[in-house]
Amino acid sequence: MRHLLNPLDFSVEETGQLLDLAKDIEENLPKYSHVCDGKKLATLFYEPSTRTRLSFEAAMLNLGGSVLGFSSADSSSAAKGESVADTIRVLSCYADICAMRHPKEGAPLVAANHSSIPVINAGDGGHQHPTQTLTDLLSIRSLKGRLNDLTIGLCGDLKFGRTVHSLINALVRYENIKFILISPPELRVPEYIREDVLKANNIEFMEMDSLDEAMPSLDILYMTRVQKERFFNEEDYIRLKDCYILDKKKMKLAKQDMYVLHPLPRVNEISVEIDEDPRAAYFKQAKYGVYVRMALIMTLLEVK
Ligand code: CP
């Protein structure tokens, strides 16, 4: 039995196979409509979510399976003090696979250690979000035709943004990837990403404040929201929340074949005026999330 807790749980080869399966699902959706007949997915969401939870549910329904779960800690027995370990032991009796989002880093790992069904980390605190990473990899590969030889700009809250941490971890395994890390000094990537991931893998990267300066070099711009829920101090959040706003003026500085991704939800960091720009790919990216989660469920349940 396998879990997905970290994007590195799958080798580059396994990730490639999963992305190939997701692509085939996109092109031949009806072919997969019964492969999970009789199987159940539990969605255990202790934190809010729109895309991740509902795309997991759509994925399992598309595969012919069914779904059960909760969408907030308050509506589960966590509100009465039940531990993650006990919850997963019980859910293992009700479902065949589960996706868990939790505000505490490492909670899905605790669940996996007590589970008899595959556990998928659907986002743990400011730590990792591996299924968003698979979605991002599928999006980049579909839009650019490759996962190597790319200059990737990551912009916004690089400190608390778990999607950023997961994506950097995954992309350093491909050839000739360069990063431009655009953030205010307070929201730079954590030290372990800089030292143990980027420097340890000899990855070329720059840290800068100016999005305008970075724009002309980028093949992909990955915008992120300033993570209000991870700030200890509201004043700091208010000061930093609108530090970058991608608008038409900034898009004029970019290459014609540069694509903008965003894990969503967005707040103000991408102006709606660029939604119709053909390079704005974030809603397409959200759609890829369903195909990639279908492929992941099939892979972990070992169904064909
Ligand atoms: N991208 C993402 O994780 O979105 P949700 O928080 O809506 O699930």
Side-chain angles (χ1 to χ4, degrees):
M1 185 181 65
R2 290 186 75 174
H3 307 285
L4 178 68
L5 304 173
N6 183 303
L8 304 188
D9 289 347
F10 286 149
S11 67
V12 171
E13 194 187 350
E14 288 170 326
T15 303
Q17 286 164 357
L18 195 140
L19 300 184
D20 289 345
L21 176 57
K23 201 70 195 158
D24 193 59
I25 290 170
E26 180 191 4
E27 289 162 6
N28 303 289
L29 195 59
K31 189 170 111 187
Y32 295 92
S33 60
H34 291 289
V35 296
C36 283
D37 278 358
K39 303 279 187 197
K40 295 191 201 78
L41 165 78
T43 52
L44 314 183
F45 277 61
Y46 294 82
E47 254 196 352
S49 167
T50 296
R51 269 146 301 277
T52 310
R53 187 172 66 84
L54 297 180
S55 65
F56 261 118
E57 295 192 2
M60 192 48 148
L61 296 173
N62 285 347
L63 294 169
S66 44
V67 295
L68 64 160
F70 53 82
S71 57
S72 72
D74 287 349
S75 64
S76 78
S77 285
K80 302 175 204 163
E82 187 167 45
S83 67
V84 164
D86 282 1
T87 303
I88 196 68
R89 278 198 191 103
V90 172
L91 259 298
S92 296
C93 309
Y94 301 161
D96 301 286
I97 186 165
C98 97
M100 173 182 282
R101 171 169 290 186
H102 202 287
K104 282 201 184 137
E105 299 186 0
L109 172 63
V110 172
N113 288 338
H114 294 86
S115 180
S116 52
I117 58 173
V119 174
I120 301 167
N121 178 1
D124 59 332
H127 188 216
Q128 298 282 343
H129 194 343
T131 65
Q132 181 64 49
T133 298
L134 293 172
T135 303
D136 300 339
L137 294 178
L138 180 63
S139 304
I140 295 170
R141 203 181 75 164
S142 300
L143 294 162
K144 299 296 296 182
R146 62 187 191 276
L147 284 171
N148 46 22
D149 302 316
L150 292 167
T151 299
I152 313 264
L154 297 151
C155 177
D157 185 348
L158 309 186
K159 179 178 180 183
F160 296 116
R162 59 193 172 200
T163 62
V164 166
H165 308 157
S166 281
L167 187 56
I168 292 175
N169 261 294
L171 279 172
V172 298
R173 300 190 295 177
Y174 297 89
E175 295 291 314
N176 194 26
I177 293 290
K178 296 178 191 141
F179 290 104
I180 302 186
L181 305 174
I182 308 138
S183 73
E186 298 93 325
L187 297 179
R188 298 268 192 253
V189 289
E191 192 65 12
Y192 80 91
I193 295 282
R194 187 178 302 102
E195 296 298 327
D196 304 343
V197 183
L198 293 167
K199 289 190 184 168
N201 287 289
N202 290 318
I203 303 298
E204 197 177 319
F205 73 99
M206 271 192 285
E207 295 184 283
M208 58 169 71
D209 297 359
S210 167
L211 178 55
D212 282 18
E213 207 180 305
M215 285 302 270
S217 317
L218 303 179
D219 298 309
I220 293 285
L221 171 60
Y222 193 91
M223 292 296 293
T224 62
R225 173 179 68 93
V226 175
Q227 304 269 304
K228 182 179 184 188
E229 62 276 30
R230 315 258 178 247
F231 275 76
F232 294 112
N233 177 339
E234 181 147 17
E235 251 173 53
D236 286 346
Y237 169 70
I238 290 167
R239 184 169 52 82
L240 293 167
K241 72 183 173 66
D242 292 328
C243 52
Y244 298 103
I245 299 179
L246 183 65
D247 56 13
K248 277 188 178 170
K249 198 167 152 224
K250 286 190 167 45
M251 287 297 282
K252 283 203 178 115
L253 302 171
K255 295 178 192 170
Q256 279 313 305
D257 62 350
M258 186 273 308
Y259 288 97
V260 182
L261 298 179
H262 189 311
L264 304 177
R266 74 169 150 190
V267 186
N268 290 325
E269 62 279 1
I270 299 181
S271 165
V272 293
E273 70 182 22
I274 71 152
D275 286 356
E276 302 313 317
D277 187 312
R279 297 168 293 177
Y282 28 91
F283 291 116
K284 199 180 272 183
Q285 180 187 4
K287 195 168 180 187
Y288 285 132
V290 177
Y291 306 133
V292 101
R293 289 181 175 101
M294 288 173 73
L296 177 63
I297 291 168
M298 286 179 63
T299 303
L300 294 180
L301 288 178
E302 298 179 355
V303 297
K304 289 197 172 42

